[in-house]
Amino acid sequence: MALVKAGVLVLDCAEPEKLAVFYKELLEGEESDATANRVEIKGADGFRVALRRDVNATPPSWPRPENSLQAHLEFVVDDLDAVERRIISLGGRPLEAKEASGPLEERGYADPAGHSFVVRRTPPTAPKQG
């Protein structure tokens, strides 16, 4: 029997109720728990994210000059363009604009509170470069 039953990624933000709407819609999930200072969302695939109130929260700064993330969300998708339209309609914003001859295999975004995340076609197989 596993000692750890489940993992939850927790993001600090000033207004967890508002940010929960973004992730609930993006993940096609449901609110699984809520208190005055925390809202947890369970995505359709079982992914869990919690939004915790921090009255002094400031948006993360990314990309930083040293290009080193401590943590970020990553979602695997089938249709990058459709997901991008959904993210923007929910209040997210693109973080990177790359010019390439073909469709990009991954794209970076920020949620409405500024947390970075990536959507990609397939999980990465190589280590991060640069």
Side-chain angles (χ1 to χ4, degrees):
M1 173 180 273
L3 294 176
V4 176
K5 293 182 179 184
V8 178
L9 176 69
V10 180
L11 300 174
D12 291 343
C13 59
E15 300 177 282
E17 302 84 2
K18 288 183 179 180
L19 194 55
V21 172
F22 175 84
Y23 282 105
K24 183 176 166 182
E25 295 296 321
L26 179 63
L27 300 173
E28 298 178 9
E30 60 186 32
E31 190 175 295
S32 59
D33 189 34
T35 66
N37 292 309
R38 178 182 156 121
V39 179
E40 187 173 311
I41 303 298
K42 183 176 180 183
D45 71 344
F47 176 78
R48 294 168 56 186
V49 61
L51 301 313
R52 182 178 65 177
R53 187 177 317 280
D54 177 351
V55 296
N56 296 314
T58 57
S61 174
W62 186 83
R64 295 186 312 227
E66 64 271 17
N67 193 26
S68 174
L69 294 174
Q70 296 298 311
H72 70 279
L73 293 167
E74 189 170 279
F75 300 108
V76 177
V77 303
D78 290 323
D79 186 335
L80 289 169
D81 293 331
V83 171
E84 179 170 289
R85 287 189 296 274
R86 179 74 168 168
I87 289 166
I88 292 169
S89 76
L90 295 169
R93 63 180 172 84
L95 289 177
E96 308 177 324
K98 295 181 183 176
E99 294 189 26
S101 57
L104 301 175
E105 293 299 314
E106 73 174 45
R107 298 178 188 170
Y109 300 92
D111 68 23
H115 302 102
S116 64
F117 64 95
V118 172
V119 295
R120 64 174 63 241
R121 289 185 195 260
T122 57
T125 57
K128 180 182 175 201
Q129 301 293 317

